[in-house]
Amino acid sequence: MEDLTYLQSPLITYGGLIDIDLKAGETIVITPATGGFGGSAVQVALAMGAGRVIAMGRNEEALKRVKALDPTRIKTVKMTGDWKEELQTLEALGPIDAHFDISPPMAQNSSHFKACISSLRRGGRISFMGGLLGDLAIPSRVVMHRNLQLKGKWMYERGDIPGFMRLIHSGLLKLGGKGGNEVTGRFGLEQWKEAFDMAAQKVLPGQMTLIVP
């Protein structure tokens, strides 16, 4: 039963990945891949058959943790704040078919948006699922000349759930410890403050703090 607590994040990211029709064998960049949602997006993309997943982020410890999920198919790229440098690194791993972004509000002015969009092949797809609060500058000439598709996605559709559950039932998407996840603490209802404090500290991909009645 405890493994079922991991369903929330991967189901949400599955909604974005299926919305841009991620196909088996494709290469996708996931940003940032160092948090709960981004880390689960890496797991789901692998389960959907991505040939290569490029995980980007600033936290090197988190990137190492993500890469350990599949050292062969996962490549990591550190965000540097210099979009040209990031683009050069991404192009060396190309061609890239898709970009999935689930950035938090504080990433509003991050360099990775321009780098990732500019790295996509002709006909590439982009899914924005993040929580940005302001407007985002898009390299419109790149989007136009390469026929890129940019889609926003809120959560998932009801019709997405059967396909997601098939990934689990088939064993392609593993939950709990088998999927590289970790319960960092279990607390009773009266220990809610300790649970929130623990959750604020344990923020690496796959880490979860539970409140157990």
Side-chain angles (χ1 to χ4, degrees), residues 104-185:
M106 61 283 294
Q108 181 74 49
N109 298 313
S110 177
S111 58
H112 78 269
F113 292 106
K114 187 172 183 178
C116 291
I117 294 173
S118 300
S119 73
L120 295 178
R121 65 163 175 81
R122 184 176 177 83
R125 294 99 65 204
I126 305 145
S127 174
F128 279 168
M129 292 195 79
L132 301 183
L133 302 178
D135 294 336
L136 183 67
I138 299 293
S140 57
R141 287 180 63 84
V142 174
V143 173
M144 177 182 63
H145 287 295
R146 296 186 190 173
N147 291 349
L148 302 183
Q149 298 178 29
L150 195 160
K151 303 182 72 175
K153 185 65 181 178
W154 175 249
M155 303 285 280
Y156 51 87
E157 303 300 321
R158 185 172 184 175
D160 296 336
I161 297 176
F164 173 76
M165 295 306 297
R166 283 193 292 271
L167 292 180
I168 297 173
H169 291 319
S170 66
L172 292 171
L173 179 61
K174 296 177 174 59
L175 304 177
K178 293 180 180 178
N181 302 303
E182 170 193 7
V183 174
T184 58

Side-chain angles (χ1 to χ4, degrees), residues 50-63:
R52 177 181 292 176
V53 176
I54 302 173
M56 288 189 73
R58 293 178 176 81
N59 187 322
E60 294 185 8
E61 180 185 359
L63 287 176

Side-chain angles (χ1 to χ4, degrees), residues 175-195:
L175 304 177
K178 293 180 180 178
N181 302 303
E182 170 193 7
V183 174
T184 58
R186 299 171 180 82
F187 299 87
L189 291 174
E190 71 284 357
Q191 298 173 297
W192 63 269
K193 186 179 186 306
E194 292 90 337

Side-chain angles (χ1 to χ4, degrees), residues 13 16-18 20-23 25-31 41-42 44-46 48-56 73-75 90 93 95-101 116 119-120 125-127:
T13 56
L17 293 169
I18 200 70
I20 56 171
D21 192 26
L22 179 65
K23 296 181 176 64
E26 289 191 321
T27 295
I28 183 169
V29 184
I30 293 176
T31 56
V42 172
V44 173
L46 291 172
M48 293 174 69
R52 177 181 292 176
V53 176
I54 302 173
M56 288 189 73
R73 288 196 289 162
I74 296 174
K75 305 297 179 184
L90 290 170
L93 298 172
I96 299 172
D97 302 287
H99 173 213
F100 174 90
D101 185 86
C116 291
S119 73
L120 295 178
R125 294 99 65 204
I126 305 145
S127 174

